[in-house]
Amino acid sequence: MRKQVRISLIGAGYVGLTTAVGFSKKGFKTILMDIDKEKVERINSGESPIYEPGLREMLKELRREGNIEATTNLDYAVSESEITFICVPTPSRRNGDTDLRYIEDSSKAIGKALRLKEHYHVVAVKSTVPPETTERVVIPNLEEGSGKKAGPGFGVCMNPEFLREGSALEDFLNPDRIVIGELDPRSGETLAFLYRGFAAPVLRTSLKVAEMIKYASNSFLAMKITYANEIGNICKKLGIDAYEVMKGVGLDSRISPHFLRAGIGFGGSCFPKDVLALVSKAEKLGYNASLLKEVINVNSRQPYRMIDLLKKRIGSLKGKRIAVLGLAFKPETDDVRESPALRIVSELIRQGAGVVAYDPKAMFNFRKAFPKIGYAESAKEALKGADACLVVTEWREFRDLTDDDFSAMRGSVIIEGRRALDPKKVDGFEGVCW
Ligand code: UDX
């Protein structure tokens, strides 16, 4: 197979879109398929439906060159490509189980499209799915739809993504490692071809191992953050700075300095869902994953520490005006899924406070959950007349805020949930773990 190999991706969400743009940038032709007509039209007109640094510019350029297209027609996407990635969402059910509805639907539909294909085709699962899903759900659906046997009839891989929102393109183009779970060597070879131009080590494994690597990685990172938060909570009681402590801890090469930033806990579309899914999978296998359960517990309590601190400083929140700076679950994204800001704002409202929020990118999405709170055009505007300020996301622009800006507040209490402000420019703020 030469570089003319074409790739289709089912699901033009954040993973599908970034992966398509990344592979196109590497010289492959890609076809993105999504049921959302509006999204497809936007992509085809060179507009990114999500905010991700660099994505819009790159998509525009690739569209001009004709290396990427979007369609609502799955049969077309599969028939015009040699490799199909499944990039559909795998949301959590209420009980923590993974909802595999979209995986089932898409694998059935891909199977049907494969029925008509004469040439060898590989289907690769990119969506995060619990161990055994590719074997037990994806393959049977593909076989049923296509009337062919996995292996001789078509190839199957499980190729997890490790993309961070806010740096997804960068992560795609410069990965730490590439994991290829394969049904058989031919499937794996075909997929490995796509990654020839990458400088990262390629790990070839079974399907189940690849699925588990993704969960074990994300759960570890979630646990590492939670550990930093637990130490941070103790540091706070000691009156010391968790960041200073973690600097000393992270210099141990066995630990590494990454993901030790204490604060109000992890959010986003992956960590909370993935830890929960692994706990639930373990349960089904007859194992009580108590460590991971506690990660979830500590993490869900962490945002409320901001409220506790706030109340210690200003008493009852009833009738108070609180400025909330930052709503996204982390900087450089407009994503508010599982953002600690959701819990914080909801609790502020429950206790009778008035909220005026500002976020450089995420207000549109946050408004869907909280249409009635106040939204400001800038951080400075949010601060005007506020009794207190909570800094919830560490957007870079908040580092430029000075005492002058905060002097527009009625009160003087500033509490940081993330390390965001510059102590040289702002006086007297307090952090959750520092
Ligand atoms: C994560 C994984 O990093 C990525 O590999 C996976 O594919 C998807 O999930 P993402 O959710 O985009 O990526 O964000 P990440 O940068 O990992 O941060 C997740 C959350 O943890 C954020 O809320 C962030 O603020 C928080 N975090 C991160 C901390 O609280 N402390 C840290 O030290 C690091």
Side-chain angles (χ1 to χ4, degrees), residues 41-103:
E41 278 166 10
R42 278 187 82 165
I43 295 169
N44 281 336
S45 63
E47 284 299 320
S48 171
I50 54 161
Y51 172 73
E52 186 62 42
L55 197 63
R56 195 167 143 253
E57 297 76 9
M58 216 180 266
L59 179 63
K60 253 201 169 73
E61 176 194 318
L62 293 165
R63 269 303 288 158
R64 250 199 322 270
E65 291 165 1
N67 268 350
I68 191 166
E69 67 171 303
T71 176
T72 52
N73 187 338
L74 185 138
D75 289 339
Y76 166 77
V78 174
S79 69
E80 291 299 312
S81 60
E82 285 72 42
I83 298 174
T84 299
F85 283 98
I86 300 180
C87 307
V88 297
T90 48
S92 291
R93 288 219 180 88
R94 249 163 225 260
N95 63 0
D97 275 7
T98 308
D99 183 350
L100 294 174
R101 191 180 341 167
Y102 306 112
I103 292 284

Side-chain angles (χ1 to χ4, degrees), residues 12 68-69 138 172 182 188 207-208 224 241 246 307 345 396-397 414 431:
I68 191 166
E69 67 171 303
V138 177
F172 180 86
E182 59 196 49
L207 297 167
K208 243 194 274 190
K224 200 172 175 193
D241 180 351
M246 284 310 170
I307 309 276
V345 168
R396 211 171 305 145
E397 65 175 67
I414 309 165

Side-chain angles (χ1 to χ4, degrees), residues 305-377:
R305 299 188 68 81
M306 272 193 113
I307 309 276
D308 294 344
L309 278 181
L310 179 64
K311 287 180 74 176
K312 247 191 217 155
R313 299 280 297 273
I314 67 168
S316 162
L317 301 181
K318 214 170 170 93
K320 300 270 166 64
R321 180 184 164 107
I322 311 295
V324 173
L325 301 188
L327 299 169
F329 81 98
K330 66 174 200 179
E332 295 303 322
T333 176
D334 60 356
D335 199 339
V336 300
R337 282 177 287 177
E338 300 288 327
S339 172
L342 294 165
R343 286 176 202 242
I344 290 165
V345 168
S346 160
E347 187 58 20
L348 288 173
I349 295 171
R350 202 187 66 79
Q351 299 206 24
V355 176
V356 180
Y358 167 73
D359 187 288
K361 295 272 180 232
M363 291 196 285
F364 178 80
N365 287 333
F366 204 80
R367 209 187 282 266
K368 292 178 199 158
F370 291 96
K372 290 195 183 133
I373 61 167
Y375 291 93
E377 289 290 313

